């Protein structure tokens, strides 16, 4: 073979070897990023389920703890039927100021009042139960469209029937009359709302205005405690829960 042919054969062999080596390298090289399968997402560890804790108990020394400690009515006891007249007259002059308790409460709870001696003729009630401003006009001066004297009524926060069942049935007539007319248990409110409440306890009725719920539960609890009355279990639970949620 001539020198020129041997040189050409050597060059061809070198090219062939380089091609083989290059092809193998390409075959072994990683695939382009577009073909790379997505990496597996990191394992997500689900949080352990939180344990179910019992309801928080009322803190000692709070109004909630006072509510939780209220004695319960013995529903098996032979309690006589409730009668409104066992609590005396509708409104008496309990404090001897010459005005009956209804007029005293209207004077206390209404603003911008006008009066004829004891009688409150006009005024505005910022109703705690509904949050509404009510224009009060006594029947003597009520304009057409105004509800008159019944537009604002006096509510017993702790109803007389609830007090009766809670122990007042054992009181003297004078004690019952005093309870029915004591100012701390009386509140001027929207007449329609008062009718809706009737004699229902806290487990069945709370003020439509949630802004007053805490004050209502507090006053109810304090009155029951002061007068050493018993309550239904459901009412005690409602008072305790409300005052606990209010942080009282």
């Amino acid at each position: 073979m001539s020198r020129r042919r041997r040189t050409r054969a050597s060059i061809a062999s070198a090219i062939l070897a380089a091609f083989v080596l290059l092809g193998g390298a390409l075959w072994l090289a990683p695939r382009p990023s577009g073909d790379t399968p997505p990496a597996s997402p990191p394992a997500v560890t689900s949080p352990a389920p939180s344990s179910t804790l019992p309801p928080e108990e009322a803190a000692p020394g709070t109004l909630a703890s006072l509510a939780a400690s209220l004695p319960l009515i013995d529903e098996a006891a032979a309690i006589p039927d409730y009668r409104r007249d066992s609590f005396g007259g509708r409104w008496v002059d309990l404090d001897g100021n010459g005005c009956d308790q209804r007029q005293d409460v209207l004077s206390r709870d209404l603003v911008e009042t006008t009066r004829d001696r004891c009688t409150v003729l006009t005024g505005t009630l910022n109703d705690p139960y509904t949050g509404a401003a009510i224009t009060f006009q006594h029947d003597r001066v009520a304009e057409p469209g105004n509800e008159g004297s019944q537009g604002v009524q006096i509510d017993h926060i702790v109803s007389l029937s609830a007090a009766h069942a809670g122990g007042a049935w054992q009181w003297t007539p004078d004690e019952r009359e005093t309870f029915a007319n004591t100012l701390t248990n009386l509140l001027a409110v929207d007449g329609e709302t008062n009718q809706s409440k009737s004699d229902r306890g806290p487990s069945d009725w709370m003020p439509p205005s949630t802004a007053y719920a805490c004050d209502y539960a507090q006053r109810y609890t304090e009155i029951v405690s002061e007068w050493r009355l018993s309550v239904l279990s459901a009412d005690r639970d409602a008072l305790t829960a409300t005052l606990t949620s209010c942080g009282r």
Side-chain angles (χ1 to χ4, degrees):
M1 181 180 298
S2 66
R3 180 183 297 178
R4 181 175 296 179
R5 289 183 178 177
R6 287 198 300 268
T7 302
R8 289 178 179 175
S10 299
I11 293 173
S13 298
I15 292 174
L16 180 60
F19 180 79
V20 171
L21 290 173
L22 179 60
L26 290 173
W27 185 79
L28 294 173
R31 286 175 290 179
S33 59
D35 296 332
T36 304
S40 299
V44 177
T45 304
S46 300
S50 57
S51 58
T52 302
L53 299 176
E56 182 179 355
E57 294 183 0
T62 62
L63 282 165
S65 68
L66 177 62
S69 68
L70 293 174
L72 296 179
I73 294 172
D74 181 3
E75 299 185 51
I79 299 175
D81 293 338
Y82 162 73
R83 297 193 333 274
R84 172 61 181 85
D85 60 9
S86 70
F87 283 81
R90 284 283 170 180
W91 302 117
V92 299
D93 179 13
L94 193 65
D95 53 12
N97 67 351
C99 302
D100 67 38
Q101 299 304 90
R102 173 177 167 82
Q103 300 306 321
D104 284 345
V105 174
L106 292 175
S107 296
R108 181 195 68 188
D109 293 351
L110 273 62
V111 297
E112 300 174 350
T113 58
T114 62
R115 300 174 54 166
D116 177 12
R117 292 182 291 182
C118 284
T119 303
V120 175
L121 296 176
T122 64
T124 300
L125 172 68
N126 295 311
D127 179 36
Y129 284 175
T130 64
I134 299 173
T135 299
F136 170 75
Q137 296 176 347
H138 191 278
D139 286 341
R140 284 164 46 187
V141 298
E143 300 173 349
N146 187 279
E147 294 183 80
S149 298
Q150 289 304 302
V152 173
Q153 299 179 12
I154 309 302
D155 180 39
H156 290 92
I157 296 173
V158 178
S159 71
L160 301 186
S161 64
H164 172 85
W169 64 274
Q170 302 175 82
W171 295 350
T172 67
D174 285 346
E175 288 172 329
R176 285 193 289 270
E177 185 176 69
T178 298
F179 179 83
N181 289 277
T182 189
L183 292 178
T184 55
N185 191 37
L186 300 177
L187 193 63
V189 299
D190 170 59
E192 184 177 352
T193 304
N194 185 49
Q195 293 295 321
S196 174
K197 175 193 173 186
S198 187
D199 60 357
R200 291 188 287 171
S203 61
D204 289 331
W205 188 93
M206 289 293 283
S209 172
T210 55
Y212 193 71
C214 295
D215 288 342
Y216 181 81
Q218 175 172 337
R219 291 188 66 171
Y220 199 106
T221 298
E222 290 173 339
I223 293 163
V224 168
S225 177
E226 178 184 355
W227 287 84
R228 299 181 181 180
L229 292 167
S230 300
V231 295
L232 294 172
S233 176
D235 287 340
R236 185 173 74 176
D237 290 346
L239 291 169
T240 303
T242 300
L243 291 170
T244 299
S245 67
C246 296
R248 298 189 183 184

